[in-house]
Amino acid sequence: MIDISERAQSYFRKLLAEQGSPGWGIHLRARDGGTLKGDCELSFCEPGEIADDEWVLECDGFNVYIDSASVPWLDGAALDYLPTGTGHTLSVRAPHLHGDVDGAQSSLAERVNRVIVDIINPQLAQHSGRVSLMEVGSDGSVVLAFGGGCQGCGQVDLTLREGIERTLREQIPEITAVRDATEHAKGENPYYAAHAHGESALR
């Protein structure tokens, strides 16, 4: 069940009226549902763009079409058009968007690994790199190992401190430290080659 407030419906009617084409609706889908990157996407849709398996939510004067694959992630979602200090903003709350495993039910290692899989590794993959969880200490310290283009990379310290550690601490405040246990000398194809004088160059 998805709840769309009267304020949100009024806002959608206004937007659709500005399109000047009858029969248009609002399309709602979950992008990367079940992951920490999960987000909701709203767009206009014409009658011919509506798939046969999409769920239809009838509103006053228009329909909202929900992508069938997105339904499990959007169940219980609430859309509202909320006042702010400078105007209004569309708010979408979807309690199942990121999956049903919450902090109370997961171990620290499980939560760290989920951040790695959902957020960190997709970013590192742009540079042919990856990171793996080796250990989570009882004091909240995290030990990681880099691979691919990150193993032996001249920028790995910056990646660890400014990218990975910052992301992990933002997502999981209990983390106290993040350490690198990689044997970087064995890296065969680093994205940035380290130079003897301390500089780095893109390979």
Side-chain angles (χ1 to χ4, degrees):
M1 179 65 179
I2 297 175
D3 178 68
I4 303 179
S5 72
E6 288 298 327
R7 288 180 297 199
Q9 291 188 42
S10 177
Y11 174 64
F12 287 142
R13 279 194 296 270
K14 179 178 179 292
L15 293 178
L16 289 167
E18 292 173 353
Q19 301 306 305
S21 299
W24 280 39
I26 300 293
H27 188 253
L28 175 62
R29 68 181 289 264
R31 178 168 52 85
D32 295 320
T35 76
L36 295 176
K37 297 188 300 178
D39 199 4
C40 293
E41 292 184 349
L42 287 160
S43 60
F44 296 117
C45 62
E46 301 180 58
E49 298 175 332
I50 302 166
D52 293 337
D53 62 346
E54 294 196 350
W55 287 42
V56 182
L57 183 59
E58 296 182 355
C59 298
D60 184 11
F62 68 96
N63 289 335
V64 174
Y65 301 93
I66 299 101
D67 176 67
S68 60
S70 300
V71 170
W73 314 121
L74 297 177
D75 184 39
L79 282 68
D80 202 354
Y81 191 55
L82 300 173
T84 66
T86 57
H88 287 75
T89 186
L90 185 64
S91 167
V92 181
R93 292 186 297 103
H96 300 299
L97 181 60
H98 298 145
D100 293 327
V101 179
D102 59 31
Q105 298 172 327
S106 305
S107 68
L108 183 57
E110 287 173 327
R111 285 182 285 153
V112 169
N113 199 56
R114 187 174 186 197
V115 174
I116 290 172
V117 171
D118 289 352
I119 299 178
I120 294 172
N121 274 345
Q123 295 175 348
L124 295 180
Q126 298 176 26
H127 291 173
S128 303
R130 64 184 180 278
V131 70
S132 301
L133 176 63
M134 303 297 292
E135 180 184 349
V136 176
S138 58
D139 61 349
S141 61
V142 173
V143 180
L144 304 174
F146 287 90
C150 289
Q151 187 173 6
C153 177
Q155 297 291 323
V156 71
D157 287 341
L158 182 64
T159 298
L160 180 68
R161 298 302 165 204
E162 298 300 321
I164 294 173
E165 183 171 2
R166 178 178 294 179
T167 299
L168 284 170
R169 285 177 176 271
E170 287 174 351
Q171 296 291 329
I172 310 172
E174 302 98 298
I175 290 176
T176 59
V178 180
R179 303 188 180 95
D180 179 11
T182 310
E183 295 185 55
H184 285 287
K186 295 184 178 181
E188 297 180 353
N189 196 25
Y191 192 76
Y192 286 93
H195 290 242
H197 48 65
E199 296 179 355
S200 300
L202 182 65
R203 61 173 172 78

